[in-house]
Amino acid sequence: MSFTEKGTSPGNNVSPARLTDDPDACIWEYNSITKEVKWSAGFYNILGYHPNEIESSAQVFFEHLLYYQDKHVFLDALYQSRLNQQVAPVPIRLLTKNNGYQWFESRIKNPENSYNGTIHGLLVNINIYKQESITFADKQFMHDEAFRIARLGSWEINPLKPGVIALSNQVYDIYDIQSRLEISAEEFISFFEPSYRVVLQQAIDHAIKLCRPFDTEALLRTAKNNLLWLKVKGIPVIDNYGHCITLKGIIQDIDNEKRKQLKLEQSVNLLTDQNRRLQNFAYIVSHNLRSHTGNLQFMVNLFEQTDEEEERIEIFSYLKTISDSLNLTIEHLNEIVKIQTEITNERSVVELEKLFKSVRSALKNNIESINAIVEYDFSQCTEINYIPAYMESIFQNLLTNSLKYYSPGRQPIIQCYTLREGNHIYLIFEDNGLGIDLNRHGDKVFGMYKTFHQNTDAKGIGLFITRNQIEALGGSITVESTVNVGTKFTIRLV
Amino acid sequence: MMEEEHPISTWIVDDDPIYVYGIRKLMSFRGANALVSHFPNGQEAISQLKNLSDEYQLPDMILLDINMPTMDGWEFMNEFAEIRPRLGKEITVYMVSSSVDLNDIHRAKNIPEVTDYIFKPVKGTHLTEIFNIAQNRVNERLKKYGT
């Protein structure tokens, strides 16, 4: 090993220093007893100096070259080497002549067995790599930050081990899980609400087996019991044979947007409903009120055209009838307006049996006059949170309807019962009466002033009101009927 | 109008008794030479049309309401269009309604068998006009065929 002695070149001496003295690396020697420092030519070179341009001393190194913050790192390494411990390379910054501080890797060799106080070290310029790694760390940080802010987590499933799922940290954050314990694919799905579990499991299975990507929204119940809407996406990576080799996916917290969207949809539905009621209202005004006012005008004109007392009396009696009809139509309009205002009323628990019995006893005379059997069974749902006035009106309209349109050929049987299916509660109203020809009148059954029988007291207002009340509370009503067999109304209450 | 003229056989198809009373009265005030029959809905009128074999009993003119129970004016027109070629007489149909709904008006005007759409309440002058038209047609037919 040869070192420059006060700047004199080693000449043609072939030494290991030549191998290490490339533009990016150099070696040094330090004698801890004599405090003598020797630098290889490359040492000056990598710092941008000519040999001998600066003094090779410990003082120059520590006071002028080594960045003050890196001193302790270097000294620690030096100390460890003297204790003959294994020393890991450390990064340090040294001041170059022209390019400011640059990063170097410092390796310190342990003293040889025949200890004479001499320590060897190697310096390698790692500035490019260090800066790249710093840039990379910056980018990684920004990247992680972006994912954290976007509440976006990624997951990955290997089709060979479909039970295992690899999750990014953000998934744990979204799930409100503190630890980073491994969880299985099944556990990953089990955090979603029951109805979404099947959908997700199927989507994952299809993505793996059929290479079908998916993009869906699902409701998550986090470890802290918060409900959160997530976007769940999975994209299969396929090999040259078209088989899925990994399934990569993301989950993203879209709770805010989703809830806003749901609210918006609700408002749109409400608006559509209200708009339809308004249109109905306009229809009633244009058809029914107009027919009365037309008649009124008609009779007044006739009244003016005749002088005969008898005719005038007759015309006047019609005028009275028109006045009554006009009044009735206004009352009906009022009932429709009432639906709108009553909707803001508080809902309360309605005991169905009690209410039905009271409606039935109010219609006792009608029931007895046609010897009808009126049965009920509310065992599947005994009570419901509803606007009591609506429920009473629904019972009354449907029962009156069945009683009115009974078939004279058989004993009228009317049945009312509740059904529970999934999250919904249904009220069924069935009779064996005249029935309605739904092929002809299907679209008009719940319309206003639509009557289908030659029945003098048919007003065509009951079912219209009933439908409006049910729909105002978010339910729906459908009808099945066969002429001369009977009619069945199915009402989804909630 | 002269008494010896052939009367116009007029069918009123309407469920509103007040209107029916009114239109009959108006016809008599206006001296319309009419032979009036009344049907409370489309069903009864169409059955009658199908049953009549004698063309003398068929109407010259039908005043048809739209909103009626059992069979409304639209349904009546559907069936009427089907049986019309088999009827041995040209029948003029007016749709008469209080509806000012543009949908109703357009729909009526798009039915080729409907001659016109008349708003309720029917004006006396309008009634006279359609009766004059009907009378002329009947007179022409009488001249041509003698029936």
Side-chain angles (χ1 to χ4, degrees):
Chain A
M1 192 175 290
S2 169
F3 286 96
T4 53
E5 204 71 52
K6 296 282 175 202
T8 51
S9 168
N12 61 354
N13 199 350
V14 179
S15 75
R18 280 191 174 265
L19 284 175
T20 55
D21 276 1
D22 70 37
D24 285 329
C26 66
I27 49 178
W28 52 266
E29 190 186 294
Y30 172 65
N31 191 309
S32 60
I33 300 161
T34 61
K35 309 289 180 202
E36 192 183 1
V37 173
K38 289 179 183 171
W39 292 344
S40 73
F43 194 104
Y44 300 96
N45 198 23
I46 61 172
L47 295 175
Y49 294 103
H50 297 297
N52 294 335
E53 200 177 340
I54 48 171
E55 190 197 346
S56 62
S57 71
Q59 200 222 345
V60 170
F61 182 78
F62 283 110
E63 298 306 323
H64 298 294
L65 297 180
L66 185 62
Y67 185 53
Y68 75 99
Q69 278 196 345
D70 296 342
K71 272 180 194 166
H72 71 278
V73 181
F74 187 81
L75 286 171
D76 275 355
L78 204 58
Y79 179 69
Q80 276 173 17
S81 78
R82 289 178 70 177
L83 295 179
N84 219 354
Q85 283 171 354
Q86 197 62 41
V87 188
V90 290
I92 54 170
R93 276 158 288 187
L94 299 176
L95 187 63
T96 61
K97 187 179 175 188
N98 300 315
N99 293 315
Y101 282 101
Q102 293 210 339
W103 284 98
F104 294 84
E105 186 179 87
S106 157
R107 289 170 183 267
I108 297 175
K109 265 191 78 76
N110 288 355
E112 278 145 31
N113 288 341
S114 51
Y115 184 65
N116 59 2
T118 313
I119 299 165
H120 292 104
L122 176 72
L123 285 172
V124 181
N125 186 320
I126 53 161
N127 202 48
I128 296 168
Y129 310 110
K130 187 67 186 176
Q131 274 181 355
E132 264 175 15
S133 84
I134 290 167
T135 316
F136 177 75
D138 269 358
K139 280 188 179 158
Q140 183 68 38
F141 176 76
M142 275 177 67
H143 178 261
D144 282 354
E145 266 307 87
F147 272 65
R148 197 181 62 77
I149 293 165
R151 307 256 307 148
L152 187 72
S154 57
W155 51 268
E156 202 173 319
I157 293 175
N158 179 349
L160 298 174
K161 295 181 208 155
V164 182
I165 191 165
L167 303 172
S168 74
N169 285 341
Q170 286 87 1
V171 173
Y172 291 95
D173 290 343
I174 292 169
Y175 272 51
D176 283 339
I177 300 175
Q178 299 293 342
S179 68
R180 295 296 184 251
L181 285 173
E182 259 185 42
I183 60 171
S184 69
E186 200 183 322
E187 283 169 314
F188 173 74
I189 289 171
S190 72
F191 277 81
F192 288 92
E193 286 292 277
S195 59
Y196 296 100
R197 288 176 203 161
V198 189
V199 180
L200 284 173
Q201 187 60 59
Q202 200 176 30
I204 290 173
D205 290 349
H206 281 176
I208 291 172
K209 284 189 197 118
L210 312 169
C211 297
R212 187 184 294 162
F214 64 91
D215 181 350
T216 180
E217 292 171 350
L219 195 57
L220 181 88
R221 192 176 285 279
T222 72
K224 287 183 184 162
N225 209 20
N226 293 324
L227 279 171
L228 217 57
W229 277 102
L230 296 188
K231 177 188 262 305
V232 186
K233 253 175 126 164
I235 292 177
V237 178
I238 59 170
D239 64 9
N240 292 336
Y241 303 100
H243 297 128
C244 172
I245 44 170
T246 42
L247 177 60
K248 286 176 185 282
I250 57 119
I251 59 165
Q252 186 174 16
D253 175 359
I254 51 160
D255 199 58
N256 256 330
E257 292 78 5
K258 181 71 182 175
R259 283 187 201 280
K260 273 182 206 154
Q261 183 201 333
L262 289 175
K263 225 175 174 177
L264 201 66
E265 274 171 23
Q266 229 174 18
S267 314
V268 169
N269 285 342
L270 197 74
L271 277 178
T272 312
D273 276 357
Q274 286 187 343
N275 201 32
R276 210 191 43 231
R277 275 194 282 273
L278 264 178
Q279 274 176 348
N280 266 321
F281 206 86
Y283 183 90
I284 297 159
V285 172
S286 78
H287 283 72
N288 304 99
L289 283 184
R290 254 194 68 82
S291 92
H292 296 316
T293 55
N295 275 343
L296 196 62
Q297 216 177 343
F298 203 11
M299 290 303 125
V300 171
N301 282 343
L302 289 178
F303 192 87
E304 283 171 347
Q305 285 177 44
T306 182
D307 295 324
E308 283 179 40
E309 192 56 27
E310 213 173 295
E311 272 184 339
R312 287 199 156 192
I313 291 170
E314 196 177 22
I315 294 169
F316 192 78
S317 77
Y318 281 111
L319 281 172
K320 275 201 281 196
T321 315
I322 295 165
S323 146
D324 290 343
S325 310
L326 202 54
N327 208 31
L328 192 65
T329 303
I330 302 277
E331 263 174 41
H332 290 160
L333 281 177
N334 195 36
E335 268 185 71
I336 295 158
V337 175
K338 237 165 61 188
I339 296 175
Q340 283 307 103
T341 47
E342 276 173 353
I343 194 171
T344 50
N345 284 9
E346 290 280 314
R347 294 187 189 205
S348 61
V349 174
V350 177
E351 287 175 59
L352 294 173
E353 186 178 331
K354 198 173 150 194
L355 186 66
F356 188 80
K357 274 181 167 173
S358 99
V359 171
R360 190 177 64 170
S361 65
L363 291 166
K364 202 174 156 215
N365 286 341
N366 306 41
I367 294 169
E368 281 172 358
S369 71
I370 59 167
N371 192 27
I373 299 172
V374 180
E375 292 169 337
Y376 62 85
D377 176 7
F378 299 120
S379 54
Q380 286 214 26
C381 173
T382 53
E383 51 187 35
I384 187 167
N385 202 22
Y386 218 72
I387 296 177
Y390 281 15
M391 189 52 85
E392 189 177 350
S393 159
I394 291 166
F395 277 149
Q396 194 180 340
N397 277 328
L398 291 175
L399 191 53
T400 312
N401 222 49
S402 290
L403 292 171
K404 214 186 267 179
Y405 305 116
Y406 74 99
S407 170
R410 52 184 169 262
Q411 182 176 27
I413 300 170
I414 299 162
Q415 287 167 311
C416 181
Y417 52 95
T418 46
L419 283 181
R420 240 178 226 281
E421 251 180 59
N423 291 330
H424 299 307
I425 294 168
Y426 294 91
L427 180 74
I428 316 288
F429 215 95
E430 248 177 308
D431 68 42
N432 62 347
L434 291 172
I436 306 166
D437 184 353
L438 291 176
N439 289 329
R440 272 182 59 192
H441 305 298
D443 52 333
K444 296 184 241 160
V445 173
F446 301 106
M448 190 169 186
Y449 295 122
K450 301 291 182 193
T451 54
F452 312 102
H453 306 94
Q454 276 295 79
N455 200 326
T456 44
D457 56 349
K459 292 187 201 72
I461 184 82
L463 287 180
F464 176 78
I465 298 278
T466 299
R467 188 195 65 178
N468 273 277
Q469 287 170 330
I470 292 163
E471 290 182 355
L473 293 188
S476 64
I477 180 166
T478 56
V479 61
E480 298 158 58
S481 186
T482 311
V483 173
N484 265 322
V485 175
T487 307
K488 178 182 179 182
F489 290 100
T490 304
I491 299 154
R492 183 169 58 74
L493 290 170
V494 286
Chain B
M1 271 172 240
M2 292 176 292
E3 274 307 306
E4 60 267 28
E5 277 193 313
H6 202 282
I8 313 295
S9 169
T10 308
W11 284 14
I12 299 171
V13 186
D14 202 304
D15 64 325
D16 179 0
I18 297 171
Y19 161 79
V20 175
Y21 166 80
I23 199 89
R24 278 176 188 270
K25 264 277 162 288
L26 194 63
M27 284 177 192
S28 82
F29 285 171
R30 287 268 155 183
N33 183 18
L35 188 71
V36 177
S37 306
H38 169 235
F39 302 88
N41 61 61
Q43 184 68 58
E44 293 195 18
I46 207 82
S47 313
Q48 183 75 349
L49 280 179
K50 283 177 181 169
N51 286 337
L52 288 177
S53 51
D54 189 347
E55 65 186 60
Y56 286 110
Q57 290 173 298
L58 287 172
D60 295 303
M61 179 160 74
I62 296 175
L63 302 178
L64 179 70
D65 184 25
I66 294 177
N67 285 321
M68 286 178 289
T70 318
M71 184 190 274
D72 65 20
W74 309 118
E75 289 172 305
F76 174 86
M77 284 316 298
N78 280 342
E79 300 217 6
F80 180 75
E82 267 178 47
I83 63 164
R84 192 166 110 128
R86 287 188 273 130
L87 299 173
K89 196 173 186 179
E90 203 185 324
I91 301 171
T92 317
V93 179
Y94 291 98
M95 277 201 134
V96 188
S97 172
S98 58
S99 169
V100 286
D101 194 332
L102 279 178
N103 291 329
D104 287 344
I105 297 164
H106 286 309
R107 191 172 166 192
K109 299 220 160 162
N110 282 328
I111 301 173
E113 289 81 13
V114 172
T115 304
D116 206 354
Y117 187 97
I118 299 172
F119 290 108
K120 283 181 185 174
V122 180
K123 288 195 177 74
T125 47
H126 203 160
L127 194 74
T128 309
E129 201 180 302
I130 63 173
F131 267 96
N132 284 341
I133 295 169
Q135 193 74 62
N136 287 341
R137 247 198 22 245
V138 170
N139 290 346
E140 253 172 58
R141 196 182 62 216
L142 285 172
K143 242 189 264 168
K144 255 191 197 165
Y145 307 106
T147 59

